[in-house]
Amino acid sequence: MIFETLGRAVVIFAVAFAVLLVLALLFCLFIFHTNRIIFPNFVLFATSLLYEPLRRLLSFFRVDPTLIDRVSVEIRNALNYHEFAATRVDERVLLLPQCLRSPECPAKLSAVDGLHCAGKEACGRCAIAELSAACEELGVKVFVSPGGTFAKRILLQSQPKAVVGVACYNNLAEGMLNAKLVGVPAQGVPLTTPGCVSTTVDIDKIIEKCKMQKETK
Ligand code: SF4
């Protein structure tokens, strides 16, 4: 009797797992191909719960597994829009990844507040200088982060009202979740060329996000 009950429970669990996996996959593909966000909270829940199985399934069908992170980032951008856009521009921070630096970067990395860029005049070898100059005019604080733990600490210490994060899709999805956990609405902008060094970004898109305010009709 006990084995029969156990057997049934295993079958029910396996069916529920398979249904959730297929639904999550279909919703992700729909969102990715149509840019229309449906059932955002369900998709975020299912993709967090089944992150690895979904990635493996996509790889099996020779589809780029970062699709899961792309969809998560787009959903979080949409869900956070109103809260983010309601904040003042000068109460926001911009978190940049240190992989943007040039290999010849002369700046020192501080464990306390990240990288101190030498600026456009003194160096200007990467996008950090231009973004720092533009953000200084806007009143947006810029931090160049060596990793996720640093980024989370900066959010807790500087207590911004909102954050714009820049990273590869994978780190962006994780970073936006961390921002939500510490109560800071985030907008994410993916790298245009991901990697470990000399990555690139769309500077205009980042500035646009930093300045984003609620649309008035
Ligand atoms: S612009 Fe700033 S961050 Fe970029 S390489 Fe030069 S000093 Fe380093």
Side-chain angles (χ1 to χ4, degrees):
M1 181 64 182
I2 188 157
F3 287 113
E4 198 178 311
T5 312
L6 207 61
R8 272 196 197 138
V10 170
V11 171
I12 290 170
F13 176 79
V15 170
F17 178 84
V19 169
L20 198 60
L21 193 69
V22 171
L23 277 179
L25 188 66
L26 291 177
F27 285 156
C28 282
L29 289 170
F30 177 86
I31 293 169
F32 182 72
H33 287 294
T34 63
N35 277 331
R36 282 180 54 205
I37 294 176
I38 50 165
F39 305 113
N41 290 312
F42 168 77
V43 177
L44 280 182
F45 166 75
T47 50
S48 312
L49 192 70
L50 304 171
Y51 185 71
E52 269 312 312
L54 280 167
R55 283 178 63 92
R56 279 165 200 251
L57 199 62
L58 286 171
S59 299
F60 178 78
F61 289 113
R62 297 177 190 277
V63 178
D64 181 2
T66 61
L67 183 143
I68 303 297
D69 299 305
R70 287 167 190 250
V71 169
S72 298
V73 169
E74 289 316 317
I75 291 178
R76 289 196 191 281
N77 275 347
L79 287 180
N80 295 342
Y81 169 76
H82 290 287
E83 209 185 335
F84 179 95
T87 62
R88 275 185 15 211
V89 172
D90 61 0
E91 291 176 326
R92 299 173 182 169
V93 296
L94 171 64
L95 282 177
L96 297 170
Q98 68 154 335
C99 60
L100 280 173
R101 298 166 77 182
S102 150
E104 288 92 46
C105 176
K108 293 271 181 287
L109 193 63
S110 147
V112 180
D113 56 0
L115 188 92
H116 293 260
C117 174
K120 218 170 171 180
E121 300 292 311
C123 176
R125 289 184 180 94
C126 78
I128 294 173
E130 195 171 335
L131 284 166
S132 300
C135 284
E136 197 178 339
E137 275 181 32
L138 293 171
V140 174
K141 275 195 193 132
V142 179
F143 294 97
V144 182
S145 156
T149 312
F150 175 93
K152 204 169 171 182
R153 182 166 56 77
I154 283 296
L155 289 186
L156 287 169
Q157 280 174 357
S158 63
Q159 304 211 320
K161 289 285 187 283
V163 57
V164 176
V166 178
C168 59
Y169 274 110
N170 186 320
N171 290 344
L172 210 48
E174 193 185 328
M176 291 178 84
L177 174 62
N178 285 336
K180 181 175 174 53
L181 293 176
V182 297
V184 181
Q187 288 293 307
V189 184
L191 294 167
T192 44
T193 316
C196 296
V197 286
S198 301
T199 56
T200 62
V201 281
D202 182 336
I203 293 176
D204 293 340
K205 204 168 172 183
I206 297 171
I207 303 294
E208 211 177 282
K209 282 280 187 194
C210 288
K211 293 197 291 196
M212 192 166 78
Q213 297 279 260
K214 266 192 177 167
E215 282 166 22
T216 45
K217 289 184 182 174

